[in-house]
Amino acid sequence: MLFKINHTAPIDLEIKRILTDLIDESLQYLIYSDQNTDECIHEIRKNMKKARATLRLIRPGIPTELYQRFNALFRDIAREFSEARDSRALLDTFNCLMIKHEDSLPVQHASTLVEDNYKNKTSELKKDKPYTTTKAQLDTSRHLTEALKITTGDHEKLLQGLVSHYKKVRKAFKKASQTNDAHEFHEWRKKQKHLLSQFLLLEDFFSSEINYYPEYLDELADLLGKEHDLAVLTIFLEKSPIPKSEFENLKPIINTERESIQEQCTGIGKKIFHKNLKDFEEELNAHLHNH
């Protein structure tokens, strides 16, 4: 699918096309989820996040009640697969740590628990089959999209939406970089992923000179995702019945990894979010194609 608004086409039709494509693609992943559960879960969740980012961009142009209904549907669909997805992320994160530190870590208990957690969560998902509910939610979303009327009728309002979200992400970045708190980094991560999606949606509106924003935001999304997975791994191991000595060996290694990643995130954040809103808006307008 083409996750990009054609700046020469009517905005309402482009938004409906993008939302419909995301929903239809997710329905297809649902059909083949038994063949590759991990990939299908990941792609459905990504599509729902893109759909929510699209909604945020056009929020002033649709009724509040309808926006909330759309947002709740897309959010709930992603949540149905969150435990299985998180268990896969924990396993991958743990395995990456082992590759880097396998000679210095006695982690047999932790390794078994992380692997068992992944198997159990995936098995529960396949056994419980929430797919009927998910399909109904996606079908409802599609019907709502077909009937959707958008009054965000000009490009300027879309740009205002981008500036508005930049403000929120900039604030989240400042809070995370000042506190180094896992929760604040997670909040920054969620908001900046929406900003990345919105830049991708509006790629056709700008000259290529502004492409450094989505490039940095994409790199940042990867790093913030790793930081979040390490934070979740710490909590999982802390609550698990592994020997205390094993956890005490793991914890400083995880913390060191997190500190390094947080430092990288802050460095990228300074490159993107050093501009105030006025300067950011002026930069966008300076590289805006004529419409």
Side-chain angles (χ1 to χ4, degrees):
M1 65 161 289
L2 182 63
F3 187 70
K4 179 168 65 174
I5 296 173
N6 180 348
H7 75 273
T8 64
I11 291 173
D12 58 340
L13 295 182
E14 281 294 276
I15 294 296
K16 291 174 76 168
R17 172 188 64 77
I18 288 165
L19 289 175
T20 300
D21 285 351
L22 289 168
I23 293 165
D24 287 348
E25 188 176 84
S26 298
L27 284 165
Q28 286 299 308
Y29 277 119
L30 210 57
I31 293 171
Y32 297 106
S33 58
D34 283 342
Q35 298 177 22
N36 192 334
T37 303
D38 289 340
E39 180 184 358
C40 289
I41 288 173
H42 181 55
E43 293 301 325
I44 290 171
R45 282 172 56 79
K46 277 203 313 184
N47 282 350
M48 294 304 98
K49 290 173 184 176
K50 287 180 178 179
R52 293 179 74 190
T54 304
L55 283 175
R56 278 168 167 75
L57 196 61
I58 61 162
R59 185 170 186 173
I62 59 177
T64 299
E65 184 178 342
L66 184 58
Y67 169 82
Q68 291 174 344
R69 189 175 181 193
F70 264 118
N71 192 53
L73 279 167
F74 294 141
R75 179 199 63 210
D76 291 346
I77 290 166
R79 280 182 178 174
E80 286 172 6
F81 301 102
S82 61
E83 287 191 2
R85 177 58 189 165
D86 287 348
S87 70
R88 178 74 224 189
L90 281 183
L91 179 60
D92 291 343
T93 301
F94 186 82
N95 287 339
C96 285
L97 279 178
M98 293 309 95
I99 291 171
K100 292 179 70 173
H101 304 283
E102 59 182 347
D103 294 336
S104 58
L105 288 178
V107 291
Q108 184 57 48
H109 293 87
S111 179
T112 300
L113 280 170
V114 171
E115 289 178 9
D116 287 348
N117 178 61
Y118 166 67
K119 291 175 183 176
N120 291 338
K121 294 300 182 185
T122 305
S123 176
E124 287 172 12
L125 182 67
K126 291 181 177 180
K127 182 180 178 181
D128 293 342
K129 281 280 185 180
Y131 307 152
T132 302
T133 301
T134 305
K135 185 179 184 305
Q137 290 171 320
L138 287 167
D139 286 339
T140 299
S141 302
R142 202 182 195 289
H143 292 318
L144 287 173
T145 301
E146 289 172 356
L148 182 62
K149 293 182 179 179
I150 304 167
T151 59
T152 305
D154 58 53
H155 302 90
E156 185 178 343
K157 288 182 180 178
L158 291 181
L159 294 181
Q160 288 173 356
L162 186 65
V163 172
S164 176
H165 200 66
Y166 172 88
K167 178 182 178 181
K168 295 176 183 178
V169 185
R170 186 171 182 261
K171 182 178 179 181
F173 154 66
K174 287 186 174 181
K175 201 165 185 180
S177 60
Q178 288 168 0
T179 63
N180 290 332
D181 179 74
H183 172 74
E184 299 302 341
F185 266 84
H186 183 46
E187 289 301 308
W188 177 22
R189 172 185 177 237
K190 290 190 295 184
K191 289 180 174 64
Q192 78 86 29
K193 287 180 84 169
H194 284 145
L195 185 63
L196 170 59
S197 292
Q198 290 172 357
F199 261 108
L200 295 176
L201 279 171
L202 299 177
E203 179 185 358
D204 204 30
F205 286 48
F206 302 106
S207 67
S208 59
E209 293 174 19
I210 212 162
N211 283 348
Y212 74 91
Y213 274 109
E215 289 171 2
Y216 277 138
L217 287 166
D218 187 48
E219 184 181 357
L220 191 55
D222 183 56
L223 288 168
L224 286 170
K226 289 178 180 178
E227 201 284 333
H228 174 66
D229 291 340
L230 287 166
V232 173
L233 178 62
T234 302
I235 295 170
F236 173 80
L237 293 175
E238 198 168 23
K239 294 180 178 179
S240 68
I242 64 171
K244 185 177 179 180
S245 60
E246 194 168 306
F247 177 68
E248 293 301 324
N249 283 330
L250 278 166
K251 188 174 180 179
I253 290 174
I254 295 174
N255 286 343
T256 299
E257 291 283 336
R258 287 185 62 201
E259 288 168 6
S260 174
I261 291 172
Q262 286 180 355
E263 187 176 339
Q264 294 176 66
C265 290
T266 300
I268 296 173
K270 289 177 180 178
K271 295 176 182 178
I272 307 174
F273 302 114
H274 68 279
K275 293 183 176 69
N276 59 37
L277 291 186
K278 181 181 178 182
D279 290 343
F280 176 68
E281 190 167 8
E282 287 179 355
E283 182 182 23
L284 292 184
N285 286 317
H287 296 288
L288 188 65
H289 292 313
N290 293 323
H291 299 289

